[in-house]
DNA sequence: GATGAAACTTACGTCCA
DNA sequence: TGGACGTAAGTTTCATC
């Protein structure tokens, strides 16, 4: 991957509806090679897919809650089931295993506090958890699906071309 | 918005490359009305855009760090500048104002701990912060851009049709 | 890599029920 | 609203240099 690939990715991360011809123009390439680069990055799995992003307010999920979970180090089997059960809730949009004092961290989206309470009850009914603590976000100041591309590993062989 | 709109959104949240004709088939509609519904939801801002999602490992940003920030309740002006400065870092992919003991929460993506340390130094060089604590994610068990649609407000007038 | 063109697939507007 | 049809535009795959 070289600088041109990075440019392509940067643009596609912003807006994937761009026509390949327009994209090529912006990158300084003609359509065919630009198209081939995109194909390759899709095959290589660099591009995982193209999705529509919705407005959280419009679909009534404007409240984000971060849920910190502490478990009593259970069996591998329990942990597997725990991950499965929690991950199946569509309200859980992010789910991390953490280092440090918290074992797991969830980002949950719901319409309001009442809905969060209902979600919480459904969750703990399905799986026993030692300690749960919830932190409510008052405002989402930034949310982007655009990963920084500054850390991308650039092929030295290719980077000499430009 | 009715159940058909919800079906359309559900599919587009998964994969926005679907042709309108295929989408229409899955939803049980012909292409024109399906296309019109999509247009309307784009105009209404329900659909915010279509983007490419990249593989964090492939672009070398596999490490997520949650950064909890406590401030000494500063002036409005300071808070505005703080938000601006922090939000400008491309490594900061999510940024929330919280209720409770933590004032702000960031999700930061970097290649490794060393890169996080470098990011941290650059951030505190730009703006003074009272208290910062970092929690590292060991594993991303779930990450989705798909918002749950179960809370969507359905037009009663329309819902009688089906 | 660039260019150009062919074949095919979509998107999108018009018209009618 | 939804369905049918047509055109313009896009995508994808060829050649060529």
């Amino acid at each position: 991957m070289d600088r041109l690939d990075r440019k392509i990715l940067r643009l596609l991360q912003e807006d994937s509806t761009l026509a390949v011809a327009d994209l090529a123009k912006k990158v300084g390439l003609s359509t065919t090679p630009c198209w081939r680069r995109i194909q390759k990055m899709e095959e290589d799995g660099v591009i995982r897919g193209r999705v529509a992003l919705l407005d959280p307010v419009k679909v009534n999920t404007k409240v984000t809650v971060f849920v910190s979970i502490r478990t009593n180090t259970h069996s591998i089997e329990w942990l597997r089931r725990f991950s499965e059960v929690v991950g199946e809730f569509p309200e859980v949009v992010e789910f991390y295993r953490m280092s440090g004092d918290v074992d797991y961290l969830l980002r949950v989206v719901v319409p309001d506090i009442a809905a969060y309470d209902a979600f919480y009850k459904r969750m703990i009914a399905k799986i026993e958890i030692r300690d749960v603590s919830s932190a409510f976000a008052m405002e989402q100041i930034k949310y982007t699906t655009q990963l920084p591309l500054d850390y991308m590993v650039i092929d030295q062989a290719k980077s000499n071309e430009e």
Side-chain angles (χ1 to χ4, degrees), chain A:
Chain A
M1 288 195 292
D2 62 0
R3 292 181 174 76
L4 291 177
D5 285 328
R6 181 148 67 180
K7 274 190 187 175
I8 293 170
L9 291 177
R10 207 181 299 279
L11 290 164
L12 285 179
Q13 275 200 117
E14 276 175 26
D15 181 10
S16 65
T17 64
L18 267 92
V20 182
D22 297 342
L23 191 62
K25 212 170 290 172
K26 291 198 181 199
V27 171
L29 217 59
S30 81
T31 60
T32 312
C34 181
W35 180 83
R36 270 200 298 251
R37 280 165 179 269
I38 297 168
Q39 290 300 309
K40 184 164 191 329
M41 291 194 285
E42 265 167 4
E43 275 168 34
D44 293 350
V46 180
I47 298 173
R48 274 176 33 199
R50 292 132 187 272
V51 301
L53 298 182
L54 309 186
D55 184 328
V57 175
K58 301 274 167 65
V59 298
N60 201 24
T61 58
K62 65 173 170 304
V63 172
T64 274
V65 188
F66 285 94
V67 184
S68 300
I69 292 177
R70 264 170 275 258
T71 62
N72 313 308
T73 2
H74 292 92
S75 67
I76 294 287
E77 177 50 32
W78 186 90
L79 289 171
R80 202 196 51 74
R81 213 184 87 77
F82 166 74
S83 294
E84 196 183 289
V85 166
V86 171
E88 266 171 12
F89 285 97
E91 291 93 343
V92 176
V93 290
E94 298 180 50
F95 182 13
Y96 301 88
R97 185 164 59 81
M98 304 296 292
S99 72
D101 55 325
V102 167
D103 294 314
Y104 294 91
L105 185 64
L106 314 182
R107 183 162 85 90
V108 175
V109 294
V110 282
D112 48 45
I113 313 269
Y116 175 70
D117 195 49
F119 160 82
Y120 175 80
K121 283 175 182 157
R122 271 184 290 135
M123 185 174 71
I124 58 170
K126 278 212 162 186
I127 193 126
E128 191 215 350
I129 300 166
R130 180 164 69 102
D131 185 38
V132 180
S133 94
S134 313
F136 289 80
M138 304 305 294
E139 186 188 355
Q140 188 173 58
I141 299 168
K142 181 179 183 181
Y143 173 81
T144 182
T145 56
Q146 299 175 34
L147 300 176
L149 299 178
D150 315 284
Y151 298 110
M152 240 176 77
V153 179
I154 300 290
D155 256 11
Q156 286 310 320
K158 282 197 175 180
S159 69
N160 295 331
E161 291 171 11
E162 233 187 338

